[in-house]
Every structure is written in C-alpha cells, then in structure tokens.
mmCIF file of all heavy atoms in Angstrom:
data_model
loop_
_atom_site.group_PDB
_atom_site.id
_atom_site.type_symbol
_atom_site.label_atom_id
_atom_site.label_comp_id
_atom_site.label_asym_id
_atom_site.label_seq_id
_atom_site.Cartn_x
_atom_site.Cartn_y
_atom_site.Cartn_z
ATOM 1 N N ALA A 1 5.564 -8.855 7.469
ATOM 2 C CA ALA A 1 5.100 -7.703 6.684
ATOM 3 C C ALA A 1 6.167 -7.316 5.664
ATOM 4 O O ALA A 1 7.363 -7.360 5.953
ATOM 5 C CB ALA A 1 4.800 -6.535 7.611
ATOM 6 N N HIS A 2 5.711 -6.958 4.473
ATOM 7 C CA HIS A 2 6.631 -6.601 3.392
ATOM 8 C C HIS A 2 6.211 -5.258 2.805
ATOM 9 O O HIS A 2 5.101 -5.132 2.313
ATOM 10 C CB HIS A 2 6.601 -7.672 2.287
ATOM 11 C CG HIS A 2 6.753 -9.061 2.805
ATOM 12 N ND1 HIS A 2 7.960 -9.604 3.135
ATOM 13 C CD2 HIS A 2 5.816 -10.014 3.096
ATOM 14 C CE1 HIS A 2 7.783 -10.848 3.587
ATOM 15 N NE2 HIS A 2 6.485 -11.110 3.575
ATOM 16 N N LYS A 3 7.119 -4.271 2.878
ATOM 17 C CA LYS A 3 6.812 -2.967 2.273
ATOM 18 C C LYS A 3 7.065 -3.048 0.780
ATOM 19 O O LYS A 3 8.103 -3.534 0.335
ATOM 20 C CB LYS A 3 7.691 -1.869 2.892
ATOM 21 C CG LYS A 3 7.197 -1.415 4.228
ATOM 22 C CD LYS A 3 7.882 -0.142 4.669
ATOM 23 C CE LYS A 3 7.250 0.324 5.965
ATOM 24 N NZ LYS A 3 7.787 1.583 6.404
ATOM 25 N N ARG A 4 6.105 -2.547 0.027
ATOM 26 C CA ARG A 4 6.242 -2.528 -1.428
ATOM 27 C C ARG A 4 6.942 -1.227 -1.824
ATOM 28 O O ARG A 4 6.998 -0.294 -1.046
ATOM 29 C CB ARG A 4 4.872 -2.656 -2.075
ATOM 30 C CG ARG A 4 4.202 -3.956 -1.569
ATOM 31 C CD ARG A 4 3.032 -4.417 -2.337
ATOM 32 N NE ARG A 4 3.156 -4.435 -3.764
ATOM 33 C CZ ARG A 4 3.644 -5.438 -4.484
ATOM 34 N NH1 ARG A 4 4.089 -6.519 -3.899
ATOM 35 N NH2 ARG A 4 3.668 -5.376 -5.785
ATOM 36 N N PRO A 5 7.464 -1.148 -3.057
ATOM 37 C CA PRO A 5 8.160 0.078 -3.465
ATOM 38 C C PRO A 5 7.241 1.307 -3.393
ATOM 39 O O PRO A 5 6.045 1.217 -3.623
ATOM 40 C CB PRO A 5 8.560 -0.214 -4.928
ATOM 41 C CG PRO A 5 8.534 -1.701 -5.049
ATOM 42 C CD PRO A 5 7.499 -2.188 -4.092
ATOM 43 N N ARG A 6 7.842 2.449 -3.082
ATOM 44 C CA ARG A 6 7.112 3.719 -3.009
ATOM 45 C C ARG A 6 6.553 4.076 -4.386
ATOM 46 O O ARG A 6 7.219 3.923 -5.400
ATOM 47 C CB ARG A 6 8.073 4.816 -2.544
ATOM 48 C CG ARG A 6 7.459 6.190 -2.389
ATOM 49 C CD ARG A 6 8.477 7.195 -1.882
ATOM 50 N NE ARG A 6 9.063 6.790 -0.618
ATOM 51 C CZ ARG A 6 8.511 7.012 0.569
ATOM 52 N NH1 ARG A 6 7.358 7.644 0.638
ATOM 53 N NH2 ARG A 6 9.100 6.609 1.663
ATOM 54 N N GLN A 7 5.286 4.504 -4.416
ATOM 55 C CA GLN A 7 4.626 4.904 -5.656
ATOM 56 C C GLN A 7 4.176 6.360 -5.534
ATOM 57 O O GLN A 7 4.077 6.885 -4.431
ATOM 58 C CB GLN A 7 3.394 4.018 -5.909
ATOM 59 C CG GLN A 7 3.685 2.538 -5.986
ATOM 60 C CD GLN A 7 4.328 2.144 -7.295
ATOM 61 O OE1 GLN A 7 3.993 2.667 -8.347
ATOM 62 N NE2 GLN A 7 5.267 1.218 -7.238
ATOM 63 N N LYS A 8 3.878 6.976 -6.675
ATOM 64 C CA LYS A 8 3.405 8.362 -6.684
ATOM 65 C C LYS A 8 1.984 8.427 -7.235
ATOM 66 O O LYS A 8 1.595 7.604 -8.050
ATOM 67 C CB LYS A 8 4.317 9.241 -7.536
ATOM 68 C CG LYS A 8 5.725 9.365 -6.972
ATOM 69 C CD LYS A 8 6.523 10.406 -7.724
ATOM 70 C CE LYS A 8 7.903 10.602 -7.114
ATOM 71 N NZ LYS A 8 7.879 11.013 -5.720
ATOM 72 N N THR A 9 1.213 9.427 -6.782
ATOM 73 C CA THR A 9 -0.130 9.626 -7.310
ATOM 74 C C THR A 9 -0.465 11.113 -7.352
ATOM 75 O O THR A 9 0.060 11.897 -6.563
ATOM 76 C CB THR A 9 -1.193 8.883 -6.466
ATOM 77 O OG1 THR A 9 -2.461 9.048 -7.095
ATOM 78 C CG2 THR A 9 -1.268 9.422 -5.048
ATOM 79 N N THR A 10 -1.329 11.457 -8.298
ATOM 80 C CA THR A 10 -1.869 12.820 -8.385
ATOM 81 C C THR A 10 -3.388 12.770 -8.301
ATOM 82 O O THR A 10 -4.048 13.771 -8.535
ATOM 83 C CB THR A 10 -1.439 13.492 -9.713
ATOM 84 O OG1 THR A 10 -1.871 12.657 -10.791
ATOM 85 C CG2 THR A 10 0.056 13.683 -9.787
ATOM 86 N N GLU A 11 -3.935 11.600 -8.006
ATOM 87 C CA GLU A 11 -5.385 11.421 -7.964
ATOM 88 C C GLU A 11 -5.866 11.259 -6.525
ATOM 89 O O GLU A 11 -5.150 10.738 -5.682
ATOM 90 C CB GLU A 11 -5.787 10.182 -8.763
ATOM 91 C CG GLU A 11 -5.403 10.238 -10.232
ATOM 92 C CD GLU A 11 -5.707 8.929 -10.926
ATOM 93 O OE1 GLU A 11 -6.888 8.546 -10.966
ATOM 94 O OE2 GLU A 11 -4.765 8.285 -11.414
ATOM 95 N N GLU A 12 -7.102 11.683 -6.288
ATOM 96 C CA GLU A 12 -7.702 11.561 -4.954
ATOM 97 C C GLU A 12 -8.082 10.109 -4.658
ATOM 98 O O GLU A 12 -7.943 9.647 -3.540
ATOM 99 C CB GLU A 12 -8.970 12.433 -4.857
ATOM 100 C CG GLU A 12 -8.686 13.902 -4.652
ATOM 101 C CD GLU A 12 -8.011 14.187 -3.314
ATOM 102 O OE1 GLU A 12 -8.578 13.834 -2.270
ATOM 103 O OE2 GLU A 12 -6.911 14.754 -3.333
ATOM 104 N N VAL A 13 -8.620 9.416 -5.668
ATOM 105 C CA VAL A 13 -9.010 8.014 -5.524
ATOM 106 C C VAL A 13 -8.359 7.239 -6.666
ATOM 107 O O VAL A 13 -8.476 7.636 -7.829
ATOM 108 C CB VAL A 13 -10.547 7.843 -5.572
ATOM 109 C CG1 VAL A 13 -10.929 6.373 -5.442
ATOM 110 C CG2 VAL A 13 -11.223 8.664 -4.486
ATOM 111 N N PHE A 14 -7.688 6.166 -6.347
ATOM 112 C CA PHE A 14 -6.997 5.393 -7.384
ATOM 113 C C PHE A 14 -6.888 3.942 -6.943
ATOM 114 O O PHE A 14 -7.089 3.612 -5.777
ATOM 115 C CB PHE A 14 -5.605 5.977 -7.665
ATOM 116 C CG PHE A 14 -4.742 6.091 -6.440
ATOM 117 C CD1 PHE A 14 -3.815 5.113 -6.131
ATOM 118 C CD2 PHE A 14 -4.861 7.177 -5.575
ATOM 119 C CE1 PHE A 14 -3.033 5.202 -5.007
ATOM 120 C CE2 PHE A 14 -4.087 7.279 -4.442
ATOM 121 C CZ PHE A 14 -3.159 6.288 -4.151
ATOM 122 N N SER A 15 -6.606 3.078 -7.900
ATOM 123 C CA SER A 15 -6.491 1.641 -7.616
ATOM 124 C C SER A 15 -5.153 1.113 -8.113
ATOM 125 O O SER A 15 -4.581 1.637 -9.071
ATOM 126 C CB SER A 15 -7.611 0.865 -8.307
ATOM 127 O OG SER A 15 -8.835 1.157 -7.696
ATOM 128 N N THR A 16 -4.703 0.072 -7.454
ATOM 129 C CA THR A 16 -3.497 -0.620 -7.885
ATOM 130 C C THR A 16 -3.696 -2.110 -7.613
ATOM 131 O O THR A 16 -4.484 -2.475 -6.738
ATOM 132 C CB THR A 16 -2.241 -0.072 -7.172
ATOM 133 O OG1 THR A 16 -1.090 -0.714 -7.684
ATOM 134 C CG2 THR A 16 -2.312 -0.299 -5.664
ATOM 135 N N VAL A 17 -3.010 -2.949 -8.365
ATOM 136 C CA VAL A 17 -3.150 -4.395 -8.203
ATOM 137 C C VAL A 17 -1.813 -4.967 -7.736
ATOM 138 O O VAL A 17 -0.767 -4.679 -8.306
ATOM 139 C CB VAL A 17 -3.585 -5.065 -9.530
ATOM 140 C CG1 VAL A 17 -3.641 -6.574 -9.374
ATOM 141 C CG2 VAL A 17 -4.935 -4.532 -9.967
ATOM 142 N N ILE A 18 -1.864 -5.758 -6.670
ATOM 143 C CA ILE A 18 -0.679 -6.467 -6.192
ATOM 144 C C ILE A 18 -0.792 -7.879 -6.746
ATOM 145 O O ILE A 18 -1.721 -8.613 -6.417
ATOM 146 C CB ILE A 18 -0.621 -6.491 -4.654
ATOM 147 C CG1 ILE A 18 -0.603 -5.070 -4.103
ATOM 148 C CG2 ILE A 18 0.606 -7.275 -4.184
ATOM 149 C CD1 ILE A 18 -0.729 -4.984 -2.591
ATOM 150 N N GLU A 19 0.165 -8.229 -7.617
ATOM 151 C CA GLU A 19 0.078 -9.502 -8.343
ATOM 152 C C GLU A 19 1.074 -10.527 -7.810
ATOM 153 O O GLU A 19 1.844 -10.246 -6.905
ATOM 154 C CB GLU A 19 0.321 -9.261 -9.833
ATOM 155 C CG GLU A 19 -0.751 -8.394 -10.467
ATOM 156 C CD GLU A 19 -0.520 -8.158 -11.941
ATOM 157 O OE1 GLU A 19 0.536 -7.617 -12.299
ATOM 158 O OE2 GLU A 19 -1.395 -8.544 -12.719
ATOM 159 N N GLU A 20 1.053 -11.696 -8.438
ATOM 160 C CA GLU A 20 1.967 -12.802 -8.142
ATOM 161 C C GLU A 20 1.892 -13.235 -6.686
ATOM 162 O O GLU A 20 2.904 -13.477 -6.034
ATOM 163 C CB GLU A 20 3.400 -12.423 -8.545
ATOM 164 C CG GLU A 20 3.541 -12.199 -10.039
ATOM 165 C CD GLU A 20 4.935 -11.773 -10.455
ATOM 166 O OE1 GLU A 20 5.878 -11.916 -9.646
ATOM 167 O OE2 GLU A 20 5.085 -11.299 -11.576
ATOM 168 N N LEU A 21 0.664 -13.326 -6.175
ATOM 169 C CA LEU A 21 0.448 -13.813 -4.815
ATOM 170 C C LEU A 21 0.023 -15.277 -4.874
ATOM 171 O O LEU A 21 -0.345 -15.789 -5.922
ATOM 172 C CB LEU A 21 -0.645 -12.983 -4.126
ATOM 173 C CG LEU A 21 -0.369 -11.482 -4.027
ATOM 174 C CD1 LEU A 21 -1.549 -10.776 -3.395
ATOM 175 C CD2 LEU A 21 0.901 -11.206 -3.237
ATOM 176 N N TYR A 22 0.075 -15.931 -3.740
ATOM 177 C CA TYR A 22 -0.347 -17.334 -3.682
ATOM 178 C C TYR A 22 -1.867 -17.402 -3.570
ATOM 179 O O TYR A 22 -2.476 -16.582 -2.877
ATOM 180 C CB TYR A 22 0.279 -18.028 -2.482
ATOM 181 C CG TYR A 22 1.770 -18.210 -2.600
ATOM 182 C CD1 TYR A 22 2.644 -17.400 -1.891
ATOM 183 C CD2 TYR A 22 2.302 -19.197 -3.436
ATOM 184 C CE1 TYR A 22 4.021 -17.557 -2.000
ATOM 185 C CE2 TYR A 22 3.671 -19.365 -3.552
ATOM 186 C CZ TYR A 22 4.528 -18.542 -2.834
ATOM 187 O OH TYR A 22 5.878 -18.705 -2.957
ATOM 188 N N PRO A 23 -2.495 -18.382 -4.228
ATOM 189 C CA PRO A 23 -3.955 -18.532 -4.106
ATOM 190 C C PRO A 23 -4.335 -19.056 -2.723
ATOM 191 O O PRO A 23 -3.527 -19.695 -2.051
ATOM 192 C CB PRO A 23 -4.301 -19.543 -5.197
ATOM 193 C CG PRO A 23 -3.036 -20.307 -5.437
ATOM 194 C CD PRO A 23 -1.911 -19.361 -5.142
ATOM 195 N N ASN A 24 -5.568 -18.767 -2.326
ATOM 196 C CA ASN A 24 -6.117 -19.257 -1.047
ATOM 197 C C ASN A 24 -5.292 -18.863 0.168
ATOM 198 O O ASN A 24 -5.211 -19.614 1.128
ATOM 199 C CB ASN A 24 -6.271 -20.785 -1.071
ATOM 200 C CG ASN A 24 -7.497 -21.210 -1.826
ATOM 201 O OD1 ASN A 24 -8.431 -20.424 -1.995
ATOM 202 N ND2 ASN A 24 -7.503 -22.436 -2.288
ATOM 203 N N ARG A 25 -4.645 -17.698 0.125
ATOM 204 C CA ARG A 25 -3.869 -17.221 1.275
ATOM 205 C C ARG A 25 -4.483 -15.921 1.762
ATOM 206 O O ARG A 25 -5.026 -15.135 0.981
ATOM 207 C CB ARG A 25 -2.409 -16.947 0.874
ATOM 208 C CG ARG A 25 -1.622 -18.171 0.556
ATOM 209 C CD ARG A 25 -0.625 -18.509 1.666
ATOM 210 N NE ARG A 25 0.111 -19.719 1.332
ATOM 211 C CZ ARG A 25 1.379 -19.714 0.966
ATOM 212 N NH1 ARG A 25 2.051 -18.604 0.872
ATOM 213 N NH2 ARG A 25 1.979 -20.857 0.698
ATOM 214 N N ASN A 26 -4.350 -15.689 3.064
ATOM 215 C CA ASN A 26 -4.865 -14.460 3.651
ATOM 216 C C ASN A 26 -3.783 -13.381 3.600
ATOM 217 O O ASN A 26 -2.651 -13.612 4.019
ATOM 218 C CB ASN A 26 -5.298 -14.712 5.103
ATOM 219 C CG ASN A 26 -6.103 -13.562 5.647
ATOM 220 O OD1 ASN A 26 -7.027 -13.096 5.008
ATOM 221 N ND2 ASN A 26 -5.739 -13.098 6.821
ATOM 222 N N TYR A 27 -4.137 -12.223 3.050
ATOM 223 C CA TYR A 27 -3.209 -11.091 2.969
ATOM 224 C C TYR A 27 -3.877 -9.871 3.593
ATOM 225 O O TYR A 27 -5.080 -9.666 3.432
ATOM 226 C CB TYR A 27 -2.860 -10.768 1.511
ATOM 227 C CG TYR A 27 -2.006 -11.811 0.838
ATOM 228 C CD1 TYR A 27 -2.572 -12.839 0.095
ATOM 229 C CD2 TYR A 27 -0.620 -11.768 0.939
ATOM 230 C CE1 TYR A 27 -1.790 -13.804 -0.527
ATOM 231 C CE2 TYR A 27 0.174 -12.723 0.320
ATOM 232 C CZ TYR A 27 -0.415 -13.735 -0.411
ATOM 233 O OH TYR A 27 0.371 -14.678 -1.020
ATOM 234 N N CYS A 28 -3.073 -9.069 4.295
ATOM 235 C CA CYS A 28 -3.572 -7.824 4.876
ATOM 236 C C CYS A 28 -2.772 -6.666 4.297
ATOM 237 O O CYS A 28 -1.578 -6.802 3.989
ATOM 238 C CB CYS A 28 -3.432 -7.843 6.386
ATOM 239 S SG CYS A 28 -4.424 -9.149 7.168
ATOM 240 N N VAL A 29 -3.441 -5.519 4.144
ATOM 241 C CA VAL A 29 -2.832 -4.364 3.493
ATOM 242 C C VAL A 29 -3.024 -3.117 4.359
ATOM 243 O O VAL A 29 -4.099 -2.907 4.911
ATOM 244 C CB VAL A 29 -3.482 -4.145 2.105
ATOM 245 C CG1 VAL A 29 -3.074 -2.802 1.504
ATOM 246 C CG2 VAL A 29 -3.118 -5.267 1.154
ATOM 247 N N SER A 30 -1.965 -2.312 4.467
ATOM 248 C CA SER A 30 -2.043 -1.000 5.104
ATOM 249 C C SER A 30 -1.298 -0.020 4.196
ATOM 250 O O SER A 30 -0.309 -0.383 3.560
ATOM 251 C CB SER A 30 -1.403 -1.028 6.488
ATOM 252 O OG SER A 30 -1.452 0.268 7.070
ATOM 253 N N VAL A 31 -1.788 1.230 4.141
ATOM 254 C CA VAL A 31 -1.198 2.230 3.238
ATOM 255 C C VAL A 31 -0.776 3.461 4.034
ATOM 256 O O VAL A 31 -1.512 3.928 4.906
ATOM 257 C CB VAL A 31 -2.208 2.639 2.142
ATOM 258 C CG1 VAL A 31 -1.615 3.707 1.233
ATOM 259 C CG2 VAL A 31 -2.629 1.427 1.319
ATOM 260 N N VAL A 32 0.408 3.972 3.720
ATOM 261 C CA VAL A 32 0.904 5.216 4.309
ATOM 262 C C VAL A 32 1.055 6.230 3.181
ATOM 263 O O VAL A 32 1.667 5.936 2.150
ATOM 264 C CB VAL A 32 2.272 5.010 5.004
ATOM 265 C CG1 VAL A 32 2.862 6.329 5.449
ATOM 266 C CG2 VAL A 32 2.126 4.071 6.170
ATOM 267 N N VAL A 33 0.483 7.417 3.365
ATOM 268 C CA VAL A 33 0.570 8.491 2.365
ATOM 269 C C VAL A 33 1.457 9.596 2.921
ATOM 270 O O VAL A 33 1.280 10.040 4.060
ATOM 271 C CB VAL A 33 -0.833 9.056 2.038
ATOM 272 C CG1 VAL A 33 -0.729 10.238 1.086
ATOM 273 C CG2 VAL A 33 -1.724 7.974 1.447
ATOM 274 N N THR A 34 2.429 10.023 2.115
ATOM 275 C CA THR A 34 3.304 11.131 2.505
ATOM 276 C C THR A 34 3.420 12.110 1.340
ATOM 277 O O THR A 34 3.069 11.786 0.207
ATOM 278 C CB THR A 34 4.718 10.636 2.886
ATOM 279 O OG1 THR A 34 5.282 9.933 1.783
ATOM 280 C CG2 THR A 34 4.697 9.745 4.106
ATOM 281 N N ALA A 35 3.922 13.299 1.665
ATOM 282 C CA ALA A 35 4.169 14.305 0.628
ATOM 283 C C ALA A 35 5.636 14.715 0.722
ATOM 284 O O ALA A 35 6.285 14.487 1.753
ATOM 285 C CB ALA A 35 3.263 15.518 0.838
ATOM 286 N N SER A 36 6.143 15.320 -0.340
ATOM 287 C CA SER A 36 7.552 15.709 -0.338
ATOM 288 C C SER A 36 7.856 16.685 0.794
ATOM 289 O O SER A 36 8.933 16.663 1.371
ATOM 290 C CB SER A 36 7.933 16.320 -1.696
ATOM 291 O OG SER A 36 7.076 17.421 -1.961
ATOM 292 N N LEU A 37 6.870 17.537 1.146
ATOM 293 C CA LEU A 37 7.074 18.533 2.195
ATOM 294 C C LEU A 37 6.541 18.071 3.554
ATOM 295 O O LEU A 37 6.662 18.791 4.538
ATOM 296 C CB LEU A 37 6.381 19.847 1.816
ATOM 297 C CG LEU A 37 6.838 20.478 0.495
ATOM 298 C CD1 LEU A 37 5.981 21.659 0.138
ATOM 299 C CD2 LEU A 37 8.304 20.877 0.595
ATOM 300 N N ASN A 38 5.915 16.892 3.596
ATOM 301 C CA ASN A 38 5.334 16.419 4.849
ATOM 302 C C ASN A 38 5.482 14.902 4.950
ATOM 303 O O ASN A 38 4.765 14.168 4.304
ATOM 304 C CB ASN A 38 3.857 16.825 4.941
ATOM 305 C CG ASN A 38 3.267 16.526 6.293
ATOM 306 O OD1 ASN A 38 3.860 15.842 7.126
ATOM 307 N ND2 ASN A 38 2.069 17.050 6.518
ATOM 308 N N LYS A 39 6.431 14.472 5.770
ATOM 309 C CA LYS A 39 6.678 13.038 5.932
ATOM 310 C C LYS A 39 5.930 12.457 7.130
ATOM 311 O O LYS A 39 6.027 11.275 7.410
ATOM 312 C CB LYS A 39 8.183 12.770 6.103
ATOM 313 C CG LYS A 39 9.030 13.234 4.926
ATOM 314 C CD LYS A 39 8.716 12.457 3.667
ATOM 315 C CE LYS A 39 9.637 12.891 2.532
ATOM 316 N NZ LYS A 39 9.179 12.441 1.240
ATOM 317 N N HIS A 40 5.181 13.299 7.862
ATOM 318 C CA HIS A 40 4.419 12.829 9.024
ATOM 319 C C HIS A 40 3.120 12.223 8.544
ATOM 320 O O HIS A 40 2.306 12.897 7.917
ATOM 321 C CB HIS A 40 4.137 13.990 9.984
ATOM 322 C CG HIS A 40 5.371 14.671 10.472
ATOM 323 N ND1 HIS A 40 6.285 14.062 11.304
ATOM 324 C CD2 HIS A 40 5.863 15.908 10.230
ATOM 325 C CE1 HIS A 40 7.270 14.886 11.560
ATOM 326 N NE2 HIS A 40 7.037 16.017 10.905
ATOM 327 N N SER A 41 2.919 10.942 8.857
ATOM 328 C CA SER A 41 1.747 10.264 8.333
ATOM 329 C C SER A 41 1.212 9.231 9.307
ATOM 330 O O SER A 41 1.959 8.640 10.076
ATOM 331 C CB SER A 41 2.102 9.595 7.009
ATOM 332 O OG SER A 41 0.966 9.002 6.454
ATOM 333 N N ILE A 42 -0.106 9.020 9.236
ATOM 334 C CA ILE A 42 -0.762 7.971 10.026
ATOM 335 C C ILE A 42 -1.146 6.858 9.051
ATOM 336 O O ILE A 42 -1.850 7.109 8.075
ATOM 337 C CB ILE A 42 -2.028 8.510 10.713
ATOM 338 C CG1 ILE A 42 -1.673 9.690 11.627
ATOM 339 C CG2 ILE A 42 -2.732 7.405 11.492
ATOM 340 C CD1 ILE A 42 -2.872 10.468 12.100
ATOM 341 N N PRO A 43 -0.688 5.626 9.278
ATOM 342 C CA PRO A 43 -1.029 4.537 8.359
ATOM 343 C C PRO A 43 -2.521 4.197 8.428
ATOM 344 O O PRO A 43 -3.166 4.418 9.451
ATOM 345 C CB PRO A 43 -0.182 3.363 8.821
ATOM 346 C CG PRO A 43 0.393 3.741 10.137
ATOM 347 C CD PRO A 43 0.206 5.202 10.354
ATOM 348 N N SER A 44 -3.027 3.662 7.351
ATOM 349 C CA SER A 44 -4.433 3.232 7.315
ATOM 350 C C SER A 44 -4.602 1.997 8.186
ATOM 351 O O SER A 44 -3.641 1.314 8.517
ATOM 352 C CB SER A 44 -4.860 2.918 5.880
ATOM 353 O OG SER A 44 -4.264 1.706 5.453
ATOM 354 N N ALA A 45 -5.848 1.711 8.531
ATOM 355 C CA ALA A 45 -6.148 0.477 9.256
ATOM 356 C C ALA A 45 -5.854 -0.715 8.337
ATOM 357 O O ALA A 45 -5.929 -0.591 7.117
ATOM 358 C CB ALA A 45 -7.615 0.474 9.668
ATOM 359 N N TRP A 46 -5.528 -1.848 8.933
ATOM 360 C CA TRP A 46 -5.276 -3.055 8.141
ATOM 361 C C TRP A 46 -6.588 -3.569 7.568
ATOM 362 O O TRP A 46 -7.591 -3.635 8.250
ATOM 363 C CB TRP A 46 -4.646 -4.152 9.010
ATOM 364 C CG TRP A 46 -3.227 -3.853 9.393
ATOM 365 C CD1 TRP A 46 -2.794 -3.324 10.572
ATOM 366 C CD2 TRP A 46 -2.068 -4.046 8.590
ATOM 367 N NE1 TRP A 46 -1.436 -3.169 10.553
ATOM 368 C CE2 TRP A 46 -0.954 -3.613 9.356
ATOM 369 C CE3 TRP A 46 -1.850 -4.545 7.303
ATOM 370 C CZ2 TRP A 46 0.357 -3.664 8.868
ATOM 371 C CZ3 TRP A 46 -0.548 -4.596 6.832
ATOM 372 C CH2 TRP A 46 0.536 -4.154 7.598
ATOM 373 N N LYS A 47 -6.547 -3.922 6.281
ATOM 374 C CA LYS A 47 -7.686 -4.568 5.626
ATOM 375 C C LYS A 47 -7.181 -5.910 5.114
ATOM 376 O O LYS A 47 -6.109 -5.987 4.509
ATOM 377 C CB LYS A 47 -8.183 -3.729 4.440
ATOM 378 C CG LYS A 47 -8.875 -2.426 4.828
ATOM 379 C CD LYS A 47 -10.275 -2.698 5.341
ATOM 380 C CE LYS A 47 -10.993 -1.437 5.764
ATOM 381 N NZ LYS A 47 -11.731 -0.795 4.726
ATOM 382 N N CYS A 48 -7.974 -6.969 5.355
ATOM 383 C CA CYS A 48 -7.526 -8.317 5.000
ATOM 384 C C CYS A 48 -8.489 -8.991 4.020
ATOM 385 O O CYS A 48 -9.690 -8.705 4.020
ATOM 386 C CB CYS A 48 -7.414 -9.180 6.248
ATOM 387 S SG CYS A 48 -6.256 -8.505 7.469
#
C-alpha cells in the first residue's frame, strides 16, 4: 500500500485522477478524510 500526498478540498463531491500506473494491473483505493480540528477518521472501504 502506498499513501499519496495529502490533498485539500472544499467540495462535497469531487474527482481526482491517479496517473502513471501500469496497464492491466489491479489497483485498490481507500480514502481517509480529516479536518484541521478533527483528526479522528474512519477510512472508506477498499474499491478495486
């Protein structure tokens, strides 16, 4: 597993693209959302 750099958002729904991956490979993604005043978070389920 590789954590990507922390990003910021002000939108409720948004998209991002993870590039420079190998073709025909299986990748799974999980997202953790935190706030400056609240670092307690439950990660999302893995999606592959």
Side-chain angles (χ1 to χ4, degrees):
H2 311 280
K3 281 193 175 184
R4 303 195 46 87
R6 181 178 303 276
Q7 302 284 322
K8 295 189 176 301
T9 184
T10 56
E11 300 174 61
E12 282 295 302
V13 179
F14 55 97
S15 290
T16 184
V17 176
I18 301 173
E19 296 180 301
E20 296 178 15
L21 301 177
Y22 291 104
N24 281 339
R25 291 254 179 107
N26 192 48
Y27 290 94
C28 297
V29 169
S30 178
V31 178
V32 172
V33 176
T34 58
S36 57
L37 301 173
N38 188 349
K39 300 295 183 194
H40 302 292
S41 183
I42 301 167
S44 73
W46 289 98
K47 290 284 179 89
C48 301

